[in-house]
Amino acid sequence: MTKGIDVSQWQGTVDWNAVKNAGVAFVIPRDGYRNTIDPRFLEYVKGIQNAGIKIPGIYHFLYSVTDDEARKEADSAVSFAEQAGLPKLTIIFADFEYDSVDKAAQRGVAITKENCTAMTVAFCERVKKKGYIPGVYYNQDFRNRMYDMDKIGKYTQWLAHYTTGDPRWTCDYMQDSSAGKVNGIKGNVDTDREYRGAMNTNFGEKLLKSEVAAQ
């Protein structure tokens, strides 16, 4: 298990060398939202890389109400990744949240399990077509109510589950707090763990290391 953080413009000015010295092994920055780049994204990527910290992926806050809009947001996310010089092995996470649902309602669209799943798949498949690795970020509620996991489970999984123990469900990354404290960052920051590399070779399913050991 490797520890990291995820960041957006709200973290302000960051001392990335101090972050690295605090034991942070990876950072997942927000690239942007809708078709707008995060004002700190390019600055953050440069600072993170200069400090020698890994960037396994980036996340894109979605405000789509149709599959076509989701594909256009994926194009924007890929464009931002390319502007930052991130390699094709970078994961681009789709991030639908409650604010996405609220903004859709203001446009007269009710986000259901079916269209949330469809738009996320549209985003991920576009990311894949562009040569990057698709992923999905979600909390427990969205996992249960808003996603058909039979369709979402093939992508890299990033679960928000605030616990000191192992994740409730199999995932590649887990966001374990929104109130982390890390040297080099003023205020709170989201903290994460990486669980990649544990695979069930018989079925191709991603498993936690503890589950692999149990087998």
Side-chain angles (χ1 to χ4, degrees):
M1 181 180 68
T2 307
K3 293 189 176 183
I5 59 174
D6 61 271
V7 297
S8 70
Q9 69 183 92
W10 309 114
Q11 269 63 60
T13 301
V14 176
D15 181 341
W16 292 110
N17 288 316
V19 170
K20 182 180 181 180
N21 291 335
V24 172
F26 70 89
V27 180
I28 303 175
R30 182 180 73 166
D31 73 282
Y33 56 92
R34 291 194 178 95
N35 299 300
T36 302
I37 194 168
D38 185 299
R40 296 270 187 176
F41 177 61
L42 298 178
E43 169 197 334
Y44 280 176
V45 169
K46 183 177 180 180
I48 294 163
Q49 291 177 330
N50 286 344
I53 306 172
K54 294 181 180 179
I55 302 176
I58 61 179
Y59 73 96
H60 187 88
F61 204 113
L62 282 156
Y63 283 103
S64 303
V65 296
T66 67
D67 293 1
D68 187 53
E69 285 189 5
R71 283 186 281 269
K72 289 178 179 177
E73 289 205 50
D75 288 342
S76 292
V78 168
S79 173
F80 301 152
E82 290 174 341
Q83 288 180 51
L86 293 172
K88 290 296 178 70
L89 290 176
T90 303
I91 307 160
I92 300 181
F93 290 98
D95 181 8
F96 258 109
E97 298 200 20
Y98 297 111
D99 193 53
S100 311
V101 175
D102 293 342
K103 291 295 192 295
Q106 293 173 14
R107 297 173 64 187
V109 177
I111 301 298
T112 64
K113 182 174 184 176
E114 289 72 26
N115 60 12
C116 187
T117 297
M119 287 187 287
T120 301
V121 169
F123 179 96
C124 288
E125 289 301 309
R126 185 63 147 234
V127 164
K128 183 178 179 180
K129 184 177 181 180
K130 295 282 186 173
Y132 285 82
I133 300 173
V136 185
Y137 168 91
Y138 50 80
N139 63 16
Q140 297 177 81
D141 181 41
F142 264 63
R143 186 189 190 282
N144 290 331
R145 290 193 307 110
M146 301 298 285
Y147 280 128
D148 180 345
M149 295 307 295
D150 288 339
K151 296 179 179 178
I152 295 299
K154 61 184 176 180
Y155 306 118
T156 301
Q157 306 289 295
W158 182 11
L159 169 69
H161 181 37
Y162 297 172
T163 176
T164 57
D166 280 340
R168 183 175 180 182
W169 294 285
T170 298
C171 60
D172 300 284
Y173 294 86
M174 184 178 78
Q175 184 184 82
D176 59 14
S177 175
S178 61
K181 302 292 184 182
V182 175
N183 289 343
I185 297 178
K186 296 178 181 178
N188 294 338
V189 65
D190 296 338
T191 56
D192 301 274
R193 310 176 205 170
E194 182 186 33
Y195 288 93
R196 297 177 69 190
M199 298 290 292
N200 179 329
T201 56
N202 292 326
F203 302 100
E205 296 176 349
K206 298 165 186 170
L207 298 176
L208 299 179
K209 291 179 181 178
S210 59
E211 293 173 331
V212 172
Q215 293 182 354

